[in-house]
Amino acid sequence: MLTRDLNKLLSEMSLEEKVGQLLLIGFEGRRPNREVAEFIKEGKVGGVVLLSRNAEEAGEAADLICVLQKLATAGSHALPLFIAVDQEGGSVVRLTEGVTVFPSNMALGATGCSDYALLAAEAVGGELASLGVNMNFAPVLDVNNNPRNPVIGIRSFGEDPELVAEFGKMAIKGYQNRGVATVAKHFPGHGDTAFDSHLTMPRVPYTMERLFQLELVPFQAAIACGVDCIMTAHLAFPAIEANPGLPATLSETVLTGLLRQKMGFDGLIITDCLEMQGVTAAVNPEQAAAMAVGAGADLALISHSLERQRAAHREIMESVRRGFIPLVRIEEAVGKILRLKQRLFTTEQSISSSGRSRQKVEVSRKLGVASAQNSAEENQSLARRIAADSLTLVRNEGGILPLKLQPNEDLLIITFRGRGLTLVEEGGGFVSGLFHSLRKRHLRIEERIVAISPEENEIDQIIRELKERRPGMVILATQDAGLYPGQATVVKRVAAAGFPSVVIALRTPYDLAAFPEVKTFIAAYGFRTTTLEALAGLLWGEFLPLGKLPVSIPGLYPAGYGLEGFD
């Protein structure tokens, strides 16, 4: 265990080892290759982030974590690794099998019950800790008030900064209750952008007054409640940083001046991945690592290239030797890292058990991991309850819902193929499942899966098929229709043709603005199995709708709106 005197430990570490603690790396494949393993054994890595490419199933993750920690603790100082994942819930989760996948943050916001955020985080945190994961890149504290935001959306709790702050605080408490370090993101705020920082550097053009009234509110609340870490965003904030080409991640004015000095944050500052184009448009990842550390970051995240990771280690070392980064800055960062590791590895996990074998983790592909605090069944039940309580019936003109199909009537589902719409989803995400949930309730059912933004010829074919089959009901499951105009065209043409239909937004509820003429509309905030099963129940009237919009639909409905019954 990390029970040694940390000041003494810090004094015994070489500069090479200290710089190694500042690197948070990722790698390809199910096991680290020889070169990655050697890099870890050399003491040049402070933590590892696991993505879906490394493990999707709980037992597999536990085995991998055991391997990684054994590599790290074989060194002279036996320092364990941070093991991090993005297990946000909803569209962004890395582990999908043998764990409980909870609905999205926006679904939580739609319930109006912040206790759900606490309970969900405790459930997820307990499952992660039982596998040896000690850091979750969550919660997302971005205030999503831009309908055209392509990367945050349902990852946000909503558009009200106070609601985001309250739900965020409860999530932080829940993870910490289970011994998992929390990482609030993406500072200073990625919610009001129309571009994805994986692909470019978005610009947030607002005044400091506006930022403190909106974007920064959840982060200030998180700091007040003791969040462990804050992750930076690769965005330009001209009101804070005068250099237009310098993203927040690399700005001393943002990280030290604003976050440390003005807002009083004393935890770890972690960069978002430095291989994202929001940074690499200006500098290469290894230069970015040195610049970020010099600006005030404590952990530099490089998720992919070992060559870049080794180069970053060399770049930071050279920057210290040449006086560009003061040694005191390195020691300050390492001190924070060691203190957090000491807390994590002396409360919940010993170094030897931080990655447990498959036999020691109770895993069920159907039910999930049973943590020490909750059974797998209890976690699954909680996820189902949240999903049901979040569903928001926005319109039910004509009383189509609940469905009243006769046994001989056909039900057709039109689903837009939305797998991995953003890079953060790693090509994963949506898997068609609404068909299976509805089939339990109605036998005459068929699903038509079409392109995310179908072209005119595909749309014409859909309408021809509908006219030939004359189904009793059409369900259209949209995904970010405002960003993919072909979806709106399909919905409008189905409505114009007079077919009875229900539109379900599987991501953000902003979709309704793209086809305001539709008569029946449900906001679901997600596409995972738990949400789809709840949707099927709502469509058949097995429970009443309770959810309220956590974001406004421009020109149509304010945040907080939602029908409280089918009438």
Side-chain angles (χ1 to χ4, degrees), residues 392-453:
T392 306
L393 181 58
V394 180
R395 279 187 185 165
N396 191 27
E397 297 176 14
I400 283 180
L401 297 180
L403 295 179
K404 308 170 188 69
L405 287 171
Q406 297 301 311
N408 63 342
E409 288 186 296
D410 290 332
L411 171 61
L412 177 66
I413 307 169
I414 298 175
T415 302
F416 298 91
R417 188 181 293 108
R419 189 170 178 82
L421 294 189
T422 64
L423 289 177
V424 75
E425 294 173 24
E426 283 193 279
F430 175 73
V431 177
S432 177
L434 188 55
F435 170 87
H436 300 290
S437 297
L438 292 174
R439 186 69 182 270
K440 299 174 186 177
R441 294 159 174 87
H442 190 76
L443 293 178
R444 293 180 64 91
I445 183 170
E446 187 173 326
E447 183 172 32
R448 179 81 147 77
I449 301 176
V450 300
I452 188 65
S453 190

Side-chain angles (χ1 to χ4, degrees), residues 486-562:
Q487 293 185 43
T489 302
V490 172
V491 172
K492 289 181 177 185
R493 288 191 60 181
V494 169
F499 294 104
S501 60
V502 177
V503 180
I504 302 169
L506 294 182
R507 289 183 185 251
T508 64
Y510 304 125
D511 288 11
L512 183 59
F515 33 75
E517 62 268 41
V518 303
K519 305 297 184 183
T520 310
F521 181 79
I522 299 171
Y525 316 105
F527 46 77
R528 300 290 181 184
T529 301
T530 302
T531 296
L532 299 181
E533 185 61 32
L535 266 171
L538 180 65
L539 289 169
W540 253 263
E542 295 168 10
F543 55 87
L544 294 176
L546 297 175
K548 305 294 181 185
L549 292 172
V551 294
S552 54
I553 304 176
L556 295 172
Y557 297 100
Y561 180 83

Side-chain angles (χ1 to χ4, degrees), residues 16 19 43 80 132 155 159 173 191 197 208 337 370 399 469 478 487:
E16 190 175 60
V19 171
R155 300 169 66 194
E159 71 176 21
K173 181 179 178 182
S197 56
M208 284 299 295
I337 290 166
R469 297 192 53 183
T478 62
Q487 293 185 43

Side-chain angles (χ1 to χ4, degrees), residues 324-343:
F324 296 140
I325 300 177
L327 179 60
V328 67
R329 167 82 273 273
I330 301 297
E331 294 190 336
E332 174 192 47
V334 177
K336 291 178 185 293
I337 290 166
L338 293 179
R339 285 193 292 275
L340 180 55
K341 286 186 176 182
Q342 184 179 59
R343 196 193 85 204

